[in-house]
Amino acid sequence: MITHSKIRCSLRRFPLIGGIAIAAVCAGPTSAHKDPVKPEQLKIYQEVFMEEVRKGDLLFHGDQKMAEQLGVADDLSKTGMACAMCHPMASDTHPQSFPKFQAQIAKFATLRDMINWCIEKPNQGVKIDPESEAMKALEAYITWSNTGSVLQPGKF
Amino acid sequence: MSDELDRIRREMHSVLQPEGVRPDDSLKITRRTFIHGSLVFGAATVGQAFAWWPLLNTLDIAHAAETPFKFAWISDTHLYPRSLNTRFVDKVVRAAQEVQAMDPPADFLIFGGDLAQLGKIEELELGVDLLKEIKIPKHYIPGEHDWYLDMGKKWGELFGQPNWTFDHKGVRFIGLDTVSRGPDYWTAKNMTPEERMGHMATLDGTVAGPWAGVGRDQLDWMEKTLADWDKQRPVVIFSHNPLYEYYPPWNFWVRDWREVHEVLKPYAKVTNIHGHVHQVLYNEIGTLRSIGMLATSWPWPYAPEGLPKLTKPMIRVDPGDPYDGVGWSKLDVAANDQLETEYIMWGRKEVFVQSPEDHDKHVSEVIRPRIADNMWPYR
Protein backbone atom coordinates (compact mmCIF):
# COMPACT_ATOMS: atom_id res chain seq x y z
CA MET A 1 0.00 0.00 0.00
CA ILE A 2 2.80 2.31 0.95
CA THR A 3 4.69 1.37 -2.20
CA HIS A 4 1.70 2.13 -4.42
CA SER A 5 1.25 5.51 -2.77
CA LYS A 6 4.86 6.39 -3.41
CA ILE A 7 4.56 5.44 -7.05
CA ARG A 8 1.38 7.50 -7.46
CA CYS A 9 3.10 10.38 -5.76
CA SER A 10 6.09 10.15 -8.06
CA LEU A 11 3.90 10.04 -11.13
CA ARG A 12 2.01 13.10 -9.97
CA ARG A 13 5.23 14.97 -9.39
CA PHE A 14 6.95 13.86 -12.52
CA PRO A 15 4.36 13.11 -15.18
CA LEU A 16 6.92 13.28 -17.98
CA ILE A 17 9.28 10.77 -16.39
CA GLY A 18 6.37 8.52 -15.55
CA GLY A 19 5.10 8.74 -19.09
CA ILE A 20 8.44 7.82 -20.57
CA ALA A 21 8.79 4.91 -18.17
CA ILE A 22 5.35 3.53 -19.05
CA ALA A 23 5.99 4.02 -22.76
CA ALA A 24 9.29 2.19 -22.46
CA VAL A 25 7.64 -0.78 -20.71
CA CYS A 26 4.83 -0.95 -23.26
CA ALA A 27 7.02 -0.47 -26.31
CA GLY A 28 9.83 -2.84 -25.22
CA PRO A 29 12.11 -4.61 -25.85
CA THR A 30 12.29 -4.65 -22.10
CA SER A 31 15.89 -5.79 -21.81
CA ALA A 32 17.45 -3.24 -24.20
CA HIS A 33 18.72 -0.76 -21.64
CA LYS A 34 18.55 -2.64 -18.43
CA ASP A 35 21.98 -4.22 -18.25
CA PRO A 36 24.85 -2.30 -16.65
CA VAL A 37 26.74 -0.32 -19.26
CA LYS A 38 29.89 -2.01 -20.45
CA PRO A 39 33.03 -0.15 -21.56
CA GLU A 40 32.76 -1.64 -25.06
CA GLN A 41 29.21 -0.29 -25.35
CA LEU A 42 30.39 3.17 -24.36
CA LYS A 43 33.19 2.92 -26.89
CA ILE A 44 30.77 2.09 -29.68
CA TYR A 45 28.40 4.83 -28.53
CA GLN A 46 31.22 7.37 -28.65
CA GLU A 47 32.50 6.11 -31.98
CA VAL A 48 29.10 6.50 -33.58
CA PHE A 49 28.97 10.09 -32.39
CA MET A 50 32.51 10.93 -33.43
CA GLU A 51 31.96 9.48 -36.89
CA GLU A 52 29.10 11.95 -37.34
CA VAL A 53 31.35 14.72 -36.02
CA ARG A 54 34.02 13.72 -38.52
CA LYS A 55 31.54 13.77 -41.40
CA GLY A 56 30.19 17.12 -40.27
CA ASP A 57 33.69 18.55 -39.89
CA LEU A 58 34.46 17.60 -43.49
CA LEU A 59 31.18 19.01 -44.82
CA PHE A 60 31.70 22.17 -42.79
CA HIS A 61 35.14 22.60 -44.37
CA GLY A 62 33.95 22.08 -47.93
CA ASP A 63 35.14 18.49 -48.48
CA GLN A 64 33.69 17.53 -51.84
CA LYS A 65 34.02 13.76 -51.41
CA MET A 66 32.05 13.75 -48.19
CA ALA A 67 29.43 16.02 -49.72
CA GLU A 68 29.09 13.58 -52.61
CA GLN A 69 28.90 10.62 -50.25
CA LEU A 70 26.04 12.25 -48.39
CA GLY A 71 24.29 13.43 -51.54
CA VAL A 72 24.62 17.16 -50.96
CA ALA A 73 27.53 18.02 -53.27
CA ASP A 74 25.39 20.24 -55.48
CA ASP A 75 23.61 21.88 -52.58
CA LEU A 76 25.92 23.11 -49.82
CA SER A 77 27.58 25.91 -51.78
CA LYS A 78 27.73 27.28 -55.28
CA THR A 79 30.32 29.98 -54.59
CA GLY A 80 33.34 28.06 -53.29
CA MET A 81 32.45 29.28 -49.82
CA ALA A 82 32.47 26.67 -47.07
CA CYS A 83 30.96 27.12 -43.61
CA ALA A 84 34.41 27.20 -41.96
CA MET A 85 35.51 30.17 -44.04
CA CYS A 86 33.31 32.41 -41.88
CA HIS A 87 33.25 30.11 -38.85
CA PRO A 88 36.74 28.75 -38.11
CA MET A 89 36.46 26.04 -35.43
CA ALA A 90 32.71 26.58 -35.78
CA SER A 91 33.12 29.82 -33.86
CA ASP A 92 30.31 32.33 -34.05
CA THR A 93 27.82 29.58 -34.92
CA HIS A 94 26.41 29.79 -31.39
CA PRO A 95 24.51 26.49 -31.26
CA GLN A 96 24.03 27.18 -27.56
CA SER A 97 21.84 30.18 -28.35
CA PHE A 98 19.19 28.23 -30.28
CA PRO A 99 16.26 28.09 -30.53
CA LYS A 100 15.77 31.82 -30.84
CA PHE A 101 14.23 34.52 -32.94
CA GLN A 102 16.66 34.83 -35.84
CA ALA A 103 16.60 38.30 -37.32
CA GLN A 104 17.90 37.28 -40.75
CA ILE A 105 15.17 34.67 -41.15
CA ALA A 106 12.59 36.77 -39.33
CA LYS A 107 11.23 33.78 -37.46
CA PHE A 108 11.74 31.66 -34.37
CA ALA A 109 14.46 29.32 -35.58
CA THR A 110 16.45 26.23 -34.73
CA LEU A 111 20.11 25.63 -35.50
CA ARG A 112 19.02 23.56 -38.50
CA ASP A 113 17.00 26.51 -39.81
CA MET A 114 20.08 28.70 -39.51
CA ILE A 115 22.33 26.14 -41.21
CA ASN A 116 19.93 26.06 -44.13
CA TRP A 117 19.78 29.85 -44.22
CA CYS A 118 23.58 30.00 -44.45
CA ILE A 119 23.57 27.42 -47.21
CA GLU A 120 20.98 29.38 -49.15
CA LYS A 121 22.23 32.96 -48.58
CA PRO A 122 25.99 33.38 -48.04
CA ASN A 123 26.82 30.12 -49.83
CA GLN A 124 24.12 30.65 -52.48
CA GLY A 125 23.38 26.92 -52.36
CA VAL A 126 20.20 24.89 -52.01
CA LYS A 127 18.55 24.06 -48.68
CA ILE A 128 19.05 20.47 -47.57
CA ASP A 129 16.53 18.16 -45.90
CA PRO A 130 16.50 19.09 -42.19
CA GLU A 131 16.27 15.37 -41.35
CA SER A 132 19.09 14.33 -43.69
CA GLU A 133 22.28 12.67 -42.55
CA ALA A 134 24.23 15.67 -43.84
CA MET A 135 22.24 18.04 -41.63
CA LYS A 136 22.66 15.80 -38.58
CA ALA A 137 26.39 15.55 -39.26
CA LEU A 138 26.72 19.33 -39.52
CA GLU A 139 24.75 19.68 -36.31
CA ALA A 140 26.98 17.08 -34.63
CA TYR A 141 30.17 18.89 -35.63
CA ILE A 142 28.95 22.35 -34.69
CA THR A 143 27.70 21.27 -31.27
CA TRP A 144 30.77 19.10 -30.62
CA SER A 145 33.06 21.99 -31.50
CA ASN A 146 31.17 24.14 -29.01
CA THR A 147 31.44 21.57 -26.22
CA GLY A 148 31.78 23.55 -23.03
CA SER A 149 29.75 26.52 -24.20
CA VAL A 150 26.98 27.32 -21.76
CA LEU A 151 23.42 27.01 -23.00
CA GLN A 152 21.94 30.43 -23.59
CA PRO A 153 18.76 29.71 -25.53
CA GLY A 154 17.12 32.74 -27.04
CA LYS A 155 20.22 34.94 -26.77
CA PHE A 156 20.55 37.57 -29.47
CA MET B 1 42.41 33.87 -21.72
CA SER B 2 44.22 30.60 -21.04
CA ASP B 3 46.96 30.41 -18.43
CA GLU B 4 49.52 29.63 -21.15
CA LEU B 5 48.54 32.62 -23.26
CA ASP B 6 48.45 34.83 -20.21
CA ARG B 7 51.99 33.69 -19.35
CA ILE B 8 53.19 34.43 -22.88
CA ARG B 9 51.59 37.87 -22.83
CA ARG B 10 53.21 38.71 -19.52
CA GLU B 11 56.57 37.57 -20.84
CA MET B 12 56.09 39.62 -24.00
CA HIS B 13 55.29 42.75 -22.06
CA SER B 14 58.04 42.28 -19.50
CA VAL B 15 60.60 41.94 -22.29
CA LEU B 16 59.33 44.60 -24.64
CA GLN B 17 57.29 46.98 -22.56
CA PRO B 18 59.07 47.74 -19.31
CA GLU B 19 57.93 50.69 -17.27
CA GLY B 20 57.60 53.80 -19.40
CA VAL B 21 58.17 52.19 -22.81
CA ARG B 22 55.46 52.83 -25.38
CA PRO B 23 55.38 53.89 -28.99
CA ASP B 24 56.91 57.34 -29.12
CA ASP B 25 54.86 60.08 -27.49
CA SER B 26 54.72 61.94 -30.74
CA LEU B 27 52.48 59.14 -31.96
CA LYS B 28 49.35 60.65 -30.49
CA ILE B 29 46.14 58.78 -30.81
CA THR B 30 43.49 61.35 -31.42
CA ARG B 31 39.84 61.34 -32.21
CA ARG B 32 38.41 62.06 -35.54
CA THR B 33 35.18 61.68 -37.38
CA PHE B 34 34.70 58.56 -39.38
CA ILE B 35 33.79 58.93 -42.98
CA HIS B 36 31.74 56.02 -44.13
CA GLY B 37 32.83 54.35 -47.34
CA SER B 38 29.59 55.28 -49.01
CA LEU B 39 30.61 58.92 -48.68
CA VAL B 40 32.34 58.29 -51.94
CA PHE B 41 28.84 57.99 -53.29
CA GLY B 42 27.47 60.93 -51.34
CA ALA B 43 26.23 59.42 -48.08
CA ALA B 44 26.58 60.47 -44.47
CA THR B 45 29.44 61.30 -42.15
CA VAL B 46 29.36 59.39 -38.91
CA GLY B 47 30.51 60.49 -35.49
CA GLN B 48 32.80 58.44 -33.30
CA ALA B 49 31.10 57.33 -30.11
CA PHE B 50 33.56 55.67 -27.76
CA ALA B 51 35.49 57.75 -25.30
CA TRP B 52 37.11 55.03 -23.23
CA TRP B 53 38.98 53.17 -25.92
CA PRO B 54 42.09 54.50 -27.59
CA LEU B 55 40.94 55.35 -31.07
CA LEU B 56 42.88 53.35 -33.53
CA ASN B 57 42.36 55.14 -36.76
CA THR B 58 44.42 58.26 -36.22
CA LEU B 59 48.12 58.32 -35.55
CA ASP B 60 50.19 61.46 -35.33
CA ILE B 61 53.69 60.81 -36.57
CA ALA B 62 56.28 63.46 -35.90
CA HIS B 63 58.95 64.07 -38.50
CA ALA B 64 56.77 62.34 -41.04
CA ALA B 65 55.72 63.77 -44.32
CA GLU B 66 57.83 66.28 -46.15
CA THR B 67 54.64 66.95 -48.04
CA PRO B 68 51.20 65.54 -47.33
CA PHE B 69 50.20 62.37 -49.11
CA LYS B 70 47.79 59.49 -49.01
CA PHE B 71 48.14 55.84 -49.70
CA ALA B 72 45.61 53.02 -49.83
CA TRP B 73 45.49 49.41 -48.63
CA ILE B 74 43.53 46.51 -50.11
CA SER B 75 44.01 42.90 -49.04
CA ASP B 76 42.47 39.48 -48.64
CA THR B 77 40.40 39.48 -51.80
CA HIS B 78 40.57 35.64 -51.94
CA LEU B 79 39.56 35.55 -55.55
CA TYR B 80 38.11 32.39 -57.03
CA PRO B 81 37.74 32.17 -60.80
CA ARG B 82 35.08 34.59 -61.98
CA SER B 83 32.92 31.68 -63.16
CA LEU B 84 32.66 30.34 -59.59
CA ASN B 85 32.25 33.43 -57.45
CA THR B 86 31.19 36.81 -58.75
CA ARG B 87 30.66 38.41 -55.33
CA PHE B 88 34.36 38.44 -54.54
CA VAL B 89 35.06 39.90 -57.98
CA ASP B 90 32.41 42.59 -57.51
CA LYS B 91 33.95 43.67 -54.22
CA VAL B 92 37.44 44.00 -55.69
CA VAL B 93 35.96 46.04 -58.53
CA ARG B 94 34.29 48.31 -56.02
CA ALA B 95 37.43 48.73 -53.90
CA ALA B 96 39.52 49.45 -56.99
CA GLN B 97 37.04 52.05 -58.22
CA GLU B 98 36.98 53.74 -54.83
CA VAL B 99 40.76 53.83 -54.52
CA GLN B 100 41.03 55.24 -58.01
CA ALA B 101 38.39 57.85 -57.14
CA MET B 102 40.32 59.18 -54.12
CA ASP B 103 40.66 62.92 -54.39
CA PRO B 104 43.37 64.00 -53.93
CA PRO B 105 44.67 60.73 -55.28
CA ALA B 106 46.67 58.24 -53.24
CA ASP B 107 50.40 58.16 -53.97
CA PHE B 108 50.43 54.38 -54.02
CA LEU B 109 48.48 51.23 -53.18
CA ILE B 110 49.65 48.45 -50.91
CA PHE B 111 48.13 45.07 -51.65
CA GLY B 112 48.49 43.10 -48.44
CA GLY B 113 48.26 39.49 -49.62
CA ASP B 114 45.75 36.72 -50.34
CA LEU B 115 44.88 38.00 -53.76
CA ALA B 116 43.88 34.43 -54.73
CA GLN B 117 41.92 31.81 -52.80
CA LEU B 118 43.71 28.66 -53.97
CA GLY B 119 46.82 30.13 -55.59
CA LYS B 120 45.72 29.30 -59.13
CA ILE B 121 47.21 31.12 -62.09
CA GLU B 122 43.70 32.04 -63.18
CA GLU B 123 42.92 33.57 -59.77
CA LEU B 124 46.15 35.57 -59.54
CA GLU B 125 45.79 36.86 -63.09
CA LEU B 126 42.19 37.81 -62.40
CA GLY B 127 43.41 39.88 -59.46
CA VAL B 128 46.00 41.65 -61.56
CA ASP B 129 43.37 42.35 -64.17
CA LEU B 130 40.88 43.80 -61.67
CA LEU B 131 43.50 45.97 -59.99
CA LYS B 132 44.49 47.49 -63.33
CA GLU B 133 41.68 49.92 -62.62
CA ILE B 134 44.05 51.51 -60.12
CA LYS B 135 46.56 53.60 -62.02
CA ILE B 136 48.83 54.67 -59.14
CA PRO B 137 51.95 52.60 -58.27
CA LYS B 138 51.07 49.30 -56.61
CA HIS B 139 53.21 47.32 -54.17
CA TYR B 140 52.37 43.72 -53.33
CA ILE B 141 53.21 41.41 -50.47
CA PRO B 142 52.12 37.76 -50.58
CA GLY B 143 49.56 35.86 -48.53
CA GLU B 144 49.59 32.14 -47.89
CA HIS B 145 46.71 31.62 -50.32
CA ASP B 146 48.85 33.07 -53.10
CA TRP B 147 51.85 30.90 -52.40
CA TYR B 148 51.41 27.23 -51.61
CA LEU B 149 50.07 25.83 -54.88
CA ASP B 150 53.29 26.44 -56.79
CA MET B 151 55.42 27.76 -53.91
CA GLY B 152 55.26 31.34 -55.10
CA LYS B 153 56.28 30.73 -58.72
CA LYS B 154 53.39 32.55 -60.37
CA TRP B 155 53.28 35.22 -57.69
CA GLY B 156 56.98 35.94 -58.26
CA GLU B 157 56.47 36.16 -62.03
CA LEU B 158 53.70 38.69 -61.53
CA PHE B 159 55.03 40.78 -58.67
CA GLY B 160 58.74 40.10 -58.22
CA GLN B 161 60.55 40.02 -54.90
CA PRO B 162 58.11 39.43 -52.00
CA ASN B 163 59.99 41.70 -49.57
CA TRP B 164 61.03 45.22 -50.44
CA THR B 165 61.65 48.70 -49.12
CA PHE B 166 61.34 52.26 -50.33
CA ASP B 167 61.42 55.75 -48.85
CA HIS B 168 58.58 58.13 -49.56
CA LYS B 169 58.37 61.73 -48.35
CA GLY B 170 60.19 61.15 -45.08
CA VAL B 171 58.84 57.70 -44.22
CA ARG B 172 60.66 54.39 -44.70
CA PHE B 173 58.28 51.71 -45.93
CA ILE B 174 59.11 48.01 -45.68
CA GLY B 175 57.13 45.12 -47.14
CA LEU B 176 57.68 41.74 -45.46
CA ASP B 177 57.01 38.21 -46.65
CA THR B 178 55.55 36.38 -43.65
CA VAL B 179 54.14 33.38 -45.52
CA SER B 180 56.76 31.55 -47.56
CA ARG B 181 58.79 30.00 -44.75
CA GLY B 182 56.27 27.47 -43.47
CA PRO B 183 57.59 24.12 -42.24
CA ASP B 184 57.36 21.31 -44.81
CA TYR B 185 54.20 19.35 -43.96
CA TRP B 186 53.68 17.98 -47.45
CA THR B 187 56.75 16.02 -48.62
CA ALA B 188 56.60 13.22 -46.07
CA LYS B 189 52.89 12.78 -46.77
CA ASN B 190 53.30 12.84 -50.54
CA MET B 191 50.73 15.60 -50.90
CA THR B 192 49.83 16.96 -54.28
CA PRO B 193 50.22 20.74 -54.72
CA GLU B 194 46.44 21.00 -54.49
CA GLU B 195 46.39 19.08 -51.19
CA ARG B 196 49.18 21.26 -49.83
CA MET B 197 47.27 24.37 -50.85
CA GLY B 198 44.03 23.01 -49.41
CA HIS B 199 45.51 22.59 -45.94
CA MET B 200 47.16 26.01 -46.13
CA ALA B 201 43.90 27.61 -47.23
CA THR B 202 42.01 26.33 -44.19
CA LEU B 203 42.36 28.88 -41.41
CA ASP B 204 41.44 26.44 -38.66
CA GLY B 205 43.33 23.52 -40.19
CA THR B 206 45.71 21.58 -37.99
CA VAL B 207 48.07 20.21 -40.66
CA ALA B 208 49.94 23.28 -41.96
CA GLY B 209 51.05 24.25 -38.47
CA PRO B 210 52.79 27.48 -37.48
CA TRP B 211 53.61 28.58 -41.02
CA ALA B 212 53.68 32.34 -40.40
CA GLY B 213 57.16 33.68 -39.82
CA VAL B 214 59.68 36.26 -40.95
CA GLY B 215 62.76 34.04 -40.93
CA ARG B 216 66.33 34.72 -39.86
CA ASP B 217 67.44 35.70 -43.36
CA GLN B 218 64.69 38.29 -43.72
CA LEU B 219 65.24 39.58 -40.18
CA ASP B 220 68.88 40.17 -41.11
CA TRP B 221 67.73 41.92 -44.28
CA MET B 222 65.35 44.13 -42.30
CA GLU B 223 68.05 44.98 -39.78
CA LYS B 224 70.38 45.95 -42.61
CA THR B 225 67.62 47.90 -44.35
CA LEU B 226 67.01 49.95 -41.22
CA ALA B 227 70.67 50.38 -40.26
CA ASP B 228 71.04 53.75 -42.02
CA TRP B 229 67.66 55.08 -40.89
CA ASP B 230 67.41 57.70 -38.15
CA LYS B 231 65.91 55.94 -35.13
CA GLN B 232 63.57 58.88 -34.50
CA ARG B 233 62.11 58.89 -37.99
CA PRO B 234 58.97 56.95 -38.88
CA VAL B 235 58.96 53.44 -40.25
CA VAL B 236 55.87 51.72 -41.65
CA ILE B 237 56.04 47.95 -42.07
CA PHE B 238 53.53 46.03 -44.15
CA SER B 239 53.00 42.34 -43.52
CA HIS B 240 50.30 39.82 -44.22
CA ASN B 241 50.30 38.47 -40.67
CA PRO B 242 50.38 40.54 -37.47
CA LEU B 243 53.89 40.89 -36.03
CA TYR B 244 52.87 39.81 -32.54
CA GLU B 245 51.12 36.88 -30.98
CA TYR B 246 47.35 37.13 -31.13
CA TYR B 247 46.07 33.59 -31.85
CA PRO B 248 48.62 31.06 -33.17
CA PRO B 249 46.11 28.30 -34.09
CA TRP B 250 44.88 30.59 -36.88
CA ASN B 251 48.37 31.96 -37.53
CA PHE B 252 47.27 35.34 -36.23
CA TRP B 253 50.96 35.94 -35.44
CA VAL B 254 54.45 35.34 -36.75
CA ARG B 255 56.16 32.58 -34.83
CA ASP B 256 59.38 34.63 -34.54
CA TRP B 257 57.70 37.79 -33.27
CA ARG B 258 60.23 38.09 -30.46
CA GLU B 259 63.10 38.36 -32.95
CA VAL B 260 61.11 40.88 -35.02
CA HIS B 261 60.74 43.10 -31.99
CA GLU B 262 64.42 42.76 -31.16
CA VAL B 263 65.21 44.24 -34.58
CA LEU B 264 62.63 47.01 -34.26
CA LYS B 265 63.27 47.90 -30.62
CA PRO B 266 65.76 50.74 -31.33
CA TYR B 267 63.28 52.56 -33.57
CA ALA B 268 60.90 54.91 -31.81
CA LYS B 269 58.10 55.24 -34.35
CA VAL B 270 57.19 52.00 -36.02
CA THR B 271 53.75 51.18 -37.36
CA ASN B 272 52.84 47.74 -38.66
CA ILE B 273 49.88 47.48 -41.00
CA HIS B 274 48.76 43.92 -41.63
CA GLY B 275 46.06 41.81 -43.26
CA HIS B 276 45.14 38.12 -42.75
CA VAL B 277 42.82 38.69 -39.79
CA HIS B 278 39.87 40.15 -41.77
CA GLN B 279 38.96 42.32 -38.80
CA VAL B 280 39.63 45.59 -37.03
CA LEU B 281 42.61 45.18 -34.70
CA TYR B 282 44.89 47.48 -32.78
CA ASN B 283 47.80 46.67 -30.50
CA GLU B 284 50.94 48.15 -29.04
CA ILE B 285 54.01 46.06 -28.24
CA GLY B 286 57.06 47.96 -27.10
CA THR B 287 57.57 50.84 -29.53
CA LEU B 288 55.51 49.16 -32.26
CA ARG B 289 51.91 49.91 -33.11
CA SER B 290 49.99 47.31 -35.12
CA ILE B 291 46.84 47.93 -37.08
CA GLY B 292 44.78 45.10 -38.60
CA MET B 293 42.96 45.70 -41.87
CA LEU B 294 39.64 44.58 -43.28
CA ALA B 295 39.36 42.04 -46.08
CA THR B 296 37.25 42.67 -49.13
CA SER B 297 36.14 39.02 -49.21
CA TRP B 298 34.58 38.13 -45.85
CA PRO B 299 35.04 39.06 -42.18
CA TRP B 300 36.32 36.68 -39.53
CA PRO B 301 35.01 36.51 -35.99
CA TYR B 302 37.44 37.50 -33.28
CA ALA B 303 39.57 34.59 -32.08
CA PRO B 304 38.42 32.65 -29.03
CA GLU B 305 41.12 34.28 -26.93
CA GLY B 306 43.96 36.73 -27.16
CA LEU B 307 42.18 39.79 -28.58
CA PRO B 308 44.49 42.71 -27.67
CA LYS B 309 42.99 44.77 -24.90
CA LEU B 310 43.70 47.95 -26.86
CA THR B 311 41.47 46.85 -29.71
CA LYS B 312 38.10 48.47 -29.93
CA PRO B 313 36.17 45.64 -31.58
CA MET B 314 34.45 46.02 -34.89
CA ILE B 315 30.74 45.59 -35.03
CA ARG B 316 29.14 42.15 -35.34
CA VAL B 317 28.27 41.80 -38.98
CA ASP B 318 25.11 40.75 -40.78
CA PRO B 319 25.95 37.49 -42.59
CA GLY B 320 23.16 38.18 -45.05
CA ASP B 321 24.97 41.19 -46.48
CA PRO B 322 28.11 40.26 -48.44
CA TYR B 323 29.24 43.89 -48.22
CA ASP B 324 29.07 44.01 -44.42
CA GLY B 325 32.21 43.83 -42.31
CA VAL B 326 34.51 44.09 -45.30
CA GLY B 327 36.17 46.85 -47.28
CA TRP B 328 39.53 48.56 -47.65
CA SER B 329 41.55 51.27 -45.95
CA LYS B 330 42.67 54.78 -46.67
CA LEU B 331 45.87 56.08 -45.07
CA ASP B 332 46.46 59.78 -45.10
CA VAL B 333 49.75 61.46 -44.19
CA ALA B 334 48.58 65.03 -43.67
CA ALA B 335 50.34 68.41 -43.74
CA ASN B 336 50.49 68.44 -39.94
CA ASP B 337 52.42 65.15 -40.04
CA GLN B 338 49.47 63.00 -39.06
CA LEU B 339 49.13 59.50 -40.39
CA GLU B 340 45.45 58.66 -40.33
CA THR B 341 44.09 55.22 -40.97
CA GLU B 342 40.49 55.11 -42.03
CA TYR B 343 38.52 51.91 -42.35
CA ILE B 344 36.22 51.96 -45.33
CA MET B 345 33.68 49.35 -44.21
CA TRP B 346 30.95 48.88 -46.74
CA GLY B 347 27.40 48.43 -45.59
CA ARG B 348 27.95 50.11 -42.21
CA LYS B 349 27.69 53.54 -40.73
CA GLU B 350 29.30 52.35 -37.49
CA VAL B 351 32.56 50.44 -37.75
CA PHE B 352 32.91 49.72 -34.03
CA VAL B 353 30.65 48.09 -31.45
CA GLN B 354 28.14 50.50 -29.97
CA SER B 355 26.76 48.19 -27.28
CA PRO B 356 27.70 44.81 -25.76
CA GLU B 357 25.20 43.13 -28.08
CA ASP B 358 27.12 44.45 -31.10
CA HIS B 359 30.17 42.34 -30.19
CA ASP B 360 30.52 38.93 -31.83
CA LYS B 361 31.60 37.56 -28.45
CA HIS B 362 28.37 38.73 -26.83
CA VAL B 363 27.28 35.09 -26.90
CA SER B 364 30.08 33.49 -24.92
CA GLU B 365 31.51 30.37 -26.51
CA VAL B 366 34.03 27.66 -25.76
CA ILE B 367 35.27 26.07 -28.96
CA ARG B 368 37.88 23.52 -29.89
CA PRO B 369 40.02 22.63 -32.89
CA ARG B 370 38.76 20.52 -35.72
CA ILE B 371 39.74 16.87 -35.98
CA ALA B 372 38.88 15.57 -39.43
CA ASP B 373 41.99 16.90 -41.18
CA ASN B 374 44.15 14.84 -38.84
CA MET B 375 42.29 11.57 -39.29
CA TRP B 376 42.73 8.87 -41.89
CA PRO B 377 43.14 9.28 -44.84
CA TYR B 378 44.30 12.83 -44.19
CA ARG B 379 47.02 12.11 -41.70
Side-chain angles (χ1 to χ4, degrees), chain B residues 348-360:
Chain B
R348 281 283 170 181
K349 289 182 179 177
E350 306 289 353
V351 174
F352 298 121
V353 295
Q354 303 296 310
S355 69
E357 289 78 12
D358 285 335
H359 197 319
D360 77 15

Side-chain angles (χ1 to χ4, degrees), chain A residues 89-100 110-112 115 138-147 149-154, chain B residues 363-367:
Chain A
M89 295 183 186
S91 63
D92 221 16
T93 53
H94 301 154
Q96 71 274 30
S97 70
F98 288 93
K100 64 180 173 185
T110 65
L111 178 62
R112 293 184 186 190
I115 291 170
L138 283 166
E139 188 179 62
Y141 171 67
I142 292 168
T143 50
W144 171 84
S145 189
N146 277 269
T147 301
S149 294
V150 176
L151 282 174
Q152 297 172 289
Chain B
V363 181
S364 62
E365 60 183 11
V366 178
I367 57 171

Side-chain angles (χ1 to χ4, degrees), chain A residues 57 80 85 89 96 144 149, chain B residues 80 204 298 300 366 368 370:
Chain A
D57 180 330
M85 288 164 71
M89 295 183 186
Q96 71 274 30
W144 171 84
S149 294
Chain B
Y80 279 116
D204 60 351
W298 71 85
W300 265 321
V366 178
R368 54 185 180 186
R370 67 176 306 211

Side-chain angles (χ1 to χ4, degrees), chain B residues 14-81:
Chain B
S14 67
V15 170
L16 294 164
Q17 212 140 26
E19 191 68 29
V21 172
R22 283 198 63 218
D24 188 272
D25 281 346
S26 63
L27 289 163
K28 301 289 185 194
I29 300 179
T30 57
R31 291 182 201 169
R32 65 183 294 271
T33 302
F34 267 99
I35 301 171
H36 182 229
S38 57
L39 187 64
V40 173
F41 302 108
T45 300
V46 180
Q48 179 44 247
F50 277 101
W52 57 90
W53 287 95
L55 184 61
L56 68 140
N57 68 323
T58 302
L59 304 178
D60 299 343
I61 296 186
H63 315 296
E66 292 163 359
T67 55
F69 68 97
K70 297 170 183 288
F71 62 99
W73 167 286
I74 300 175
S75 72
D76 298 281
T77 52
H78 292 270
L79 286 163
Y80 279 116

